[in-house]
């Protein structure tokens, strides 16, 4: 028996103590896992993948694992590596966009006669914005609002059949602009990320030979965070399942918070109710204390039967301050957080998160922290450091250059593996070797943690990134992200004083508080959570009017509360949110 096989078998024994996890691990066919917050779903998924590789899927066949975000993909990859499942080509771990690009569109679209750019090139966000603007001007005149663009993007993800009655009866302004935009994409020789998924759907639904080709390569497809992935992926899954591919889907409808992008929590429930699908609900919560679980359940119309695994009580406190978010942040930073740290000597600032709903609130909180010199890690659209695939690699490369190459905290082998996962465009062995050598030369030349971040980024751009980003269709969005990161290091910009070492420690330094939107906090956990701006009319906001919008706002509040292990502090001004009222009645 291999070391890898022995390791997964040893760790899997822990699942026997949780009958729900063990049932999912033992499942023999299509399976849906309904996994609440802190339920150990990532451990269950990775052990299941390790078992499938050892017992069911024989080389050269592989397992495809699709998830919502690059952060989720990175977490799964890290957990698999700890089980001994290294990046040896047996698991294709990707977002839905990457899966459609590399496994469907790139190999099969031309053979199926679908019109796509040749050579295949994905539009950068800047290109996409410009072409959408042109489509709007041609169709309507003037310039589109951000809300109109969001509505059109959601439309493309929710009504995928352009010859359907539903499409024809939709708002003509929106369908007209979408059709003009898609035509402009093709005329300019590019496709956008949503287009990749739509072409992928067309391929698997309309071509049996494509489904058979995917089956031959991937007898099992695992989907994580299913509730966030939307209708096109759901229909791709149904088509692959009908072709004989085994489906292992994991998610939580109660944590579906991306309705504005087209996510539909009912899709996971629909999959779970199909004949032949085994359903398991993970009911034990390994993260939250009992009072936090009780408070979170008060937010849901039909809460699940979740309970703490260890009986900790935890603490829920509601604070009324007759002041705005800036003053609420001042109170949190000057009084609440110091008291929490004093009462819990083992805690550090990195164990605490301040959560909010909007960019403007984040800016107010950041100003409050800046005023007293409190270090923080900020995760929202106001931060010049985005949570992207490339940024994740860059921060680890910065740790290596800042001394990790000596301490072994980050190894060169690890960086090279991450690089290979990023840059997956077809290349000969000779080309891959040449790129690898160039990357190693650049990294060795930049081993200085005290070096200004701007100087380091520009050296990587000229030495390796400009050329490689131009050749990788799946990283089109990273071109703009990297340019924005460099802009953030200009004189007077937020990162102007950053060194390589400071950059490498972003989000990892224990003396940094965490400032983030609730959407950005999904998948993370902290000892304590402070939620600010919880007034009536703000959460839910005045824009949340329909039943579906109000339900999603409640799920968003639920996600925020369930990030906490031990303490939740809820702050409002004058009249409290109805969600706060529901929690007050539960504790």
């Amino acid at each position: 028996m291999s070391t890898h096989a022995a390791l997964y078998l040893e760790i899997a024994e822990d699942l026997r103590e949780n009958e729900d996890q063990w049932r999912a691990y033992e499942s023999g066919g299509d399976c849906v896992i309904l996994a609440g917050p802190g339920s150990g779903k990532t451990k269950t998924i990775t052990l299941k993948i390790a078992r499938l590789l050892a017992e069911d899927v024989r080389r050269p066949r592989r397992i495809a694992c699709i998830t919502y975000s690059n952060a989720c993909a990175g977490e799964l990859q890290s957990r698999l590596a700890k089980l001994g499942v290294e990046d040896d080509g047996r698991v294709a771990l990707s977002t839905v966009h990457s899966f459609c690009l590399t496994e469907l569109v790139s190999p099969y679209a031309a053979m199926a006669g679908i019109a796509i750019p040749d050579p295949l090139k994905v539009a950068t966000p800047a290109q996409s914005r410009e072409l959408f603007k042109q489509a709007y001007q041609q169709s309507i005149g003037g310039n589109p609002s951000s809300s109109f663009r969001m509505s059109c993007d959601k439309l493309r993800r929710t009504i995928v059949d352009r010859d359907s009655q539903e499409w024809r009866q939709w708002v003509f302004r929106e369908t007209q602009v979408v059709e003009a935009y898609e035509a402009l994409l093709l005329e300019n020789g590019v496709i956008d990320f949503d287009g990749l998924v739509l072409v992928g759907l067309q391929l698997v639904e309309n071509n049996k030979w494509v489904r058979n080709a995917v089956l031959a390569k991937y007898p099992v497809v695992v989907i994580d965070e299913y509730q966030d992935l939307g209708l096109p992926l759901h229909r791709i899954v149904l088509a692959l399942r009908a072709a004989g591919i085994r489906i292992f889907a994991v998610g939580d409808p109660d944590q579906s918070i991306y309705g504005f992008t087209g996510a539909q929590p009912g899709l996971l429930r629909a999959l779970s109710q199909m004949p032949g699908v085994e359903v398991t609900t993970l009911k034990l919560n390994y993260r939250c204390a009992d009072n936090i679980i009780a408070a979170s359940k008060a937010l849901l119309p039909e809460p699940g039967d979740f309970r703490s695994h260890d009986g900790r009580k935890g603490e829920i406190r509601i604070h009324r301050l007759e002041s705005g978010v800036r003053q609420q942040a001042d109170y949190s930073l000057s009084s609440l957080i110091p008291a929490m740290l004093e009462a819990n000597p083992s805690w550090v600032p990195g164990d605490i998160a301040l959560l909010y709903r909007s960019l403007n609130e984040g800016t107010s909180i950041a100003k409050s922290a800046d005023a007293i010199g409190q270090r923080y890690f900020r995760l929202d659209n106001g931060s010049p450091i985005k949570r992207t695939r490339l940024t994740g690699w860059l921060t680890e490369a910065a740790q290596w250059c800042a001394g990790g190459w000596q301490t072994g905290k980050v190894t060169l082998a690890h960086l090279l593996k991450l690089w290979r996962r990023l840059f997956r465009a077809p290349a000969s062995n000779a080309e891959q070797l040449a790129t690898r050598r160039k990357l190693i030369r650049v990294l060795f030349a930049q081993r200085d943690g005290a070096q200004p971040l701007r100087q380091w980024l520009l050296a990587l751009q000229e030495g390796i990134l400009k050329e490689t980003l131009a050749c990788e269709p799946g990283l089109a969005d990273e071109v703009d992200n990297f340019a924005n990161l460099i802009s953030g290091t200009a004189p007077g910009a937020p990162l102007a004083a950053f060194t390589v070492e400071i950059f490498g420690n972003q989000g990892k330094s224990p003396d940094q508080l965490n400032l983030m939107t609730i959407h950005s906090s999904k998948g993370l956990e902290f000892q304590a959570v402070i939620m600010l701006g919880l007034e009536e009319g703000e959460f839910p906001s005045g824009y949340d009017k329909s039943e579906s919008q109000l339900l999603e706002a409640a799920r968003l509040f639920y996600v925020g509360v369930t990030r906490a292990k031990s303490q939740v502090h809820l702050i409002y001004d004058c009249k409290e949110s109805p969600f706060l009222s529901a929690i007050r009645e539960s504790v």
Side-chain angles (χ1 to χ4, degrees):
M1 181 178 293
S2 68
T3 303
H4 145 235
L7 183 59
Y8 96 81
L9 288 172
E10 179 182 340
I11 297 175
E13 286 299 310
D14 295 341
L15 302 185
R16 289 185 183 274
E17 299 177 3
N18 184 322
E19 61 179 286
D20 299 322
Q21 290 182 341
W22 186 255
R23 187 181 303 112
Y25 177 72
E26 288 276 273
S27 63
D30 296 328
C31 181
V32 167
I33 299 179
L34 301 175
S39 60
K41 61 107 172 171
T42 304
K43 179 179 181 179
T44 306
I45 294 172
T46 50
L47 282 168
K48 184 66 175 180
I49 291 173
R51 181 177 189 177
L52 288 167
L53 290 172
E55 301 177 17
D56 295 348
V57 180
R58 305 301 180 196
R59 293 180 185 272
R61 303 178 87 188
R62 310 166 69 195
I63 290 176
C65 184
I66 304 169
T67 190
Y68 176 74
S69 69
N70 296 300
C72 295
E75 174 65 14
L76 285 173
Q77 190 70 59
S78 174
R79 295 286 193 95
L80 285 169
K82 290 177 181 177
L83 289 175
V85 181
E86 296 293 343
D87 188 17
D88 60 355
R90 299 203 64 205
V91 180
L93 182 57
S94 62
T95 64
V96 62
H97 300 105
S98 295
F99 177 81
C100 288
L101 171 63
T102 59
E103 307 300 334
L104 299 174
V105 179
S106 183
Y108 305 129
M111 287 189 286
I114 296 177
I116 60 170
D118 185 18
L120 186 60
K121 184 178 180 182
V122 180
T124 66
Q127 287 176 305
S128 175
R129 287 191 297 270
E130 177 58 31
L131 292 176
F132 187 87
K133 179 180 177 181
Q134 291 179 26
Y136 188 90
Q137 291 171 340
Q138 292 174 13
S139 304
I140 299 174
N143 294 316
S145 65
S146 58
S147 60
F148 184 85
R149 173 65 194 268
M150 187 179 296
S151 295
C152 289
D153 288 342
K154 181 177 179 179
L155 172 62
R156 296 177 71 203
R157 299 164 187 154
T158 52
I159 306 179
V160 298
D161 300 314
R162 299 304 160 77
D163 58 351
S164 67
Q165 184 176 2
E166 187 179 12
W167 179 267
R168 290 192 297 270
Q169 292 179 343
W170 198 257
V171 179
F172 179 67
R173 283 165 54 93
E174 293 183 4
T175 58
Q176 182 184 25
V177 172
V178 166
E179 290 173 356
Y181 168 66
E182 292 178 339
L184 282 172
L185 285 169
L186 195 57
E187 287 174 19
N188 285 270
V190 292
I191 188 171
D192 68 359
F193 284 103
D194 284 334
L196 289 172
V197 181
L198 294 174
V199 172
L201 172 60
Q202 185 179 349
L203 282 165
V204 298
E205 283 195 335
N206 297 341
N207 300 278
K208 182 178 179 180
W209 62 270
V210 171
R211 298 192 293 272
N212 288 339
V214 178
L215 171 61
K217 190 174 184 179
Y218 297 111
V220 181
V221 173
V222 177
I223 309 100
D224 188 22
E225 302 292 352
Y226 198 99
Q227 76 282 348
D228 294 330
L229 293 170
L231 181 61
L233 187 276
H234 179 66
R235 283 177 45 174
I236 289 173
V237 167
L238 296 185
L240 296 179
R241 180 173 182 250
I245 292 175
R246 183 173 165 187
I247 300 299
F248 192 83
V250 187
D252 181 10
D254 292 333
Q255 294 187 76
S256 180
I257 57 175
Y258 297 104
F260 59 91
T261 70
Q264 301 177 39
L267 297 176
L268 180 58
R269 293 191 181 98
L271 179 64
S272 70
Q273 293 166 4
M274 290 182 176
V277 175
E278 183 178 350
V279 183
T280 297
T281 301
L282 304 185
K283 294 183 284 292
L284 281 183
N285 187 321
Y286 292 89
R287 177 192 303 154
C288 305
D290 280 333
N291 285 336
I292 297 173
I293 294 173
S296 69
K297 290 168 69 172
L299 298 164
L300 303 175
E302 298 180 10
D305 181 24
F306 302 114
R307 59 189 184 277
S308 171
H309 84 293
D310 59 6
R312 288 176 297 120
K313 290 298 182 185
E315 184 177 1
I316 296 279
R317 290 184 58 191
I318 298 175
H319 308 257
R320 179 181 176 183
L321 302 177
E322 295 187 2
S323 57
V325 168
R326 176 62 190 269
Q327 291 71 36
Q328 293 176 20
D330 289 342
Y331 165 72
S332 300
L333 292 165
S334 63
S335 300
L336 185 54
I337 292 174
M340 292 163 63
L341 293 174
E342 183 177 359
N344 300 276
S346 64
W347 291 9
V348 294
D351 289 322
I352 301 170
L354 283 77
L355 304 184
Y356 42 91
R357 193 168 186 187
S358 72
L359 168 63
N360 289 337
E361 290 173 324
T363 299
S364 294
I365 298 167
K367 287 180 179 177
S368 184
D370 290 337
I372 62 172
Q374 172 61 57
R375 294 187 63 200
Y376 58 85
F377 169 63
R378 184 176 178 185
L379 192 58
D380 61 30
N381 287 335
S383 171
I385 303 175
K386 308 300 182 187
R387 195 180 181 189
T388 74
R389 291 167 289 175
L390 181 59
T391 302
W393 183 86
L394 286 169
T395 54
E396 297 214 41
Q399 290 180 58
W400 186 86
C401 289
W405 64 277
Q406 291 175 307
T407 64
K409 183 178 180 181
V410 178
T411 66
L412 182 60
H414 175 67
L415 286 179
L416 294 174
K417 283 182 180 178
L418 292 181
W419 177 272
R420 187 69 196 110
R421 292 177 201 141
L422 272 174
F423 297 94
R424 299 189 294 185
S428 67
N429 289 337
E431 290 171 330
Q432 291 182 30
L433 184 59
T435 300
R436 181 186 177 95
R437 287 172 175 166
K438 185 182 294 186
L439 174 62
I440 291 172
R441 285 198 299 270
V442 171
L443 289 173
F444 268 85
Q446 302 303 318
R447 292 177 296 167
D448 181 2
Q451 181 181 187
L453 177 60
R454 183 176 183 82
Q455 180 180 322
W456 185 78
L457 290 172
L458 291 172
L460 263 65
Q461 180 185 44
E462 292 304 314
I464 187 76
L465 283 174
K466 182 189 293 184
E467 177 184 346
T468 48
L469 281 173
C471 299
E472 182 67 41
L475 293 178
D477 55 333
E478 298 287 8
V479 174
D480 288 1
N481 291 332
F482 187 62
N484 292 337
L485 181 59
I486 291 178
S487 297
T489 63
L495 307 180
F498 269 45
T499 64
V500 175
E501 183 176 11
I502 293 173
F503 176 68
N505 286 331
Q506 283 299 293
K508 303 176 180 68
S509 179
D511 65 343
Q512 291 179 326
L513 285 172
N514 298 281
L515 277 57
M516 56 187 66
T517 61
I518 304 176
H519 281 97
S520 299
S521 74
K522 191 164 180 288
L524 303 177
E525 62 181 23
F526 308 93
Q527 285 291 351
V529 158
I530 303 170
M531 295 174 63
L532 303 89
L534 306 182
E535 296 81 44
E536 183 180 53
E538 296 295 332
F539 205 154
S541 76
Y543 298 103
D544 297 320
K545 296 178 179 179
S546 69
E547 182 181 4
S548 63
Q549 289 172 326
L550 290 170
L551 287 172
E552 180 157 317
R555 293 195 296 268
L556 183 63
F557 207 111
Y558 174 82
V559 166
V561 168
T562 55
R563 299 310 93 197
K565 298 179 181 180
S566 303
Q567 292 186 24
V568 176
H569 296 265
L570 306 168
I571 306 178
Y572 73 102
D573 169 20
C574 297
K575 193 167 184 181
E576 66 187 25
S577 158
F579 301 145
L580 263 184
S581 300
I583 287 178
R584 189 185 295 278
E585 293 177 4
S586 73
V587 296

